[in-house]
Amino acid sequence: GESVGLHLPTLSVQEGDNSIINCAYSNSASDYFIWYKQESGKGPQFIIDIRSNMDKRQGQRVTVLLNKTVKHLSLQIAATQPGDSAVYFCAETTGYSTLTFGKGTMLLVSP
Amino acid sequence: DGGITQSPKYLFRKEGQNVTLSCEQNLNHDAMYWYRQDPGQGLRLIYYSQIVNDFQKGDIAEGYSVSREKKESFPLTVTSAQKNPTAFYLCASSIEMGLYRGSTYEQYFGPGTRLTVT
């Protein structure tokens, strides 16, 4: 399949562990953020989003934390499974413009 | 079954030839986008269109062209002027470009086309 993971930061975890993937964003005017998951050879899939008026949002097994003071975003995945292995991207926008994507982090989950 | 389709999945061309990548969506979305992805990099925006018959250059538009004659379709032409055309190309769409009316600005992605130019 297509490899998009060359030279990406990589996080290796054991199945059942909690994973934390970090993202530093660049634009202090950004007020909407999205996390995407991309499996090898496929297009990105939406995981969760958060607006700047929130500092935490939870989904199914995932939590996104936003720290606007230091322009930092994190994605926490609880009880990580082998099927979570993928490249994870954060994206930012002011909400009325195009999305700007980060370079991504590869998550490798060992059984 | 709604979604975005891109064809073909793999495309091979000789240097100096123009090639057109197909993107079709049946989600009734107004906005469509083309991204390029290289190994170890994030997605970079080539062109986007907020509405039929209108499109704007993204961050790396040089060597590419698009058209938006129908709401469902947003084909991308990679011209011979593009110096490094070999890449993974992703098409996406969203209800609109921005959070004007909705609470989410999710972009839905197609499966991608891997273009190799030799």
Side-chain angles (χ1 to χ4, degrees):
Chain A
E2 174 62 33
S3 170
V4 297
L6 292 177
H7 312 302
L8 283 176
T10 300
L11 175 65
S12 297
V13 301
Q14 293 284 112
E15 183 177 1
D17 287 352
N18 295 334
S19 301
I20 300 176
I21 299 170
N22 296 305
C23 176
Y25 64 93
S26 55
N27 187 354
S28 56
S30 291
D31 60 7
Y32 179 75
F33 306 86
I34 303 178
W35 278 100
Y36 279 94
K37 173 186 179 183
Q38 185 177 27
E39 296 175 355
S40 183
K42 298 183 178 179
Q45 293 175 284
F46 175 93
I47 302 173
I48 192 167
D49 58 359
I50 188 168
R51 288 215 193 195
S52 61
N53 60 355
M54 303 172 71
D55 53 21
K56 180 179 179 179
R57 190 168 189 215
Q58 289 185 292
Q60 189 176 13
R61 278 201 310 120
V62 295
T63 300
V64 56
L65 299 177
L66 175 63
N67 184 331
K68 296 184 292 295
T69 303
V70 295
K71 294 191 286 186
H72 184 267
L73 199 65
S74 68
L75 177 71
Q76 300 178 1
I77 305 174
T80 313
Q81 303 166 0
D84 295 326
S85 293
V87 176
Y88 290 81
F89 294 97
C90 65
E92 61 179 296
T93 178
T94 61
Y96 303 100
S97 65
T98 56
L99 291 177
T100 299
F101 286 82
K103 287 191 173 12
T105 297
M106 177 172 281
L107 176 65
L108 296 175
V109 183
S110 306
Chain B
D1 191 21
I4 301 180
T5 56
Q6 291 184 245
S7 60
K9 188 167 177 62
Y10 297 97
L11 192 53
F12 298 87
R13 280 293 183 272
K14 294 290 188 187
E15 196 174 315
Q17 293 179 335
N18 291 355
V19 59
T20 297
L21 281 59
S22 165
C23 178
E24 303 279 330
Q25 54 99 359
N26 60 4
L27 300 167
N28 200 32
H29 286 173
D30 281 324
M32 296 187 74
Y33 315 83
W34 273 105
Y35 294 92
R36 170 185 172 132
Q37 188 173 35
D38 295 285
Q41 300 213 23
L43 280 63
R44 293 185 290 168
L45 183 64
I46 304 172
Y47 267 98
Y48 63 98
S49 168
Q50 296 186 67
I51 200 164
V52 175
N53 293 322
D54 182 67
F55 49 83
Q56 306 293 331
K57 291 182 181 180
D59 301 318
I60 55 164
E62 186 176 349
Y64 299 98
S65 65
V66 293
S67 62
R68 186 88 187 275
E69 296 175 2
K70 297 188 298 182
K71 188 174 187 178
E72 305 79 26
S73 179
F74 191 40
L76 172 75
T77 297
V78 184
T79 75
S80 56
Q82 167 51 232
K83 290 183 172 49
N84 296 297
T86 294
F88 189 48
Y89 290 88
L90 287 158
C91 179
S93 71
S94 61
I95 295 171
E96 58 188 348
M97 198 190 85
L99 290 163
Y100 296 98
R101 288 173 290 170
S103 60
T104 182
Y105 178 12
E106 179 180 351
Q107 291 186 9
Y108 295 77
F109 283 84
T113 292
R114 172 68 180 172
L115 173 64
T116 302
V117 177
T118 56

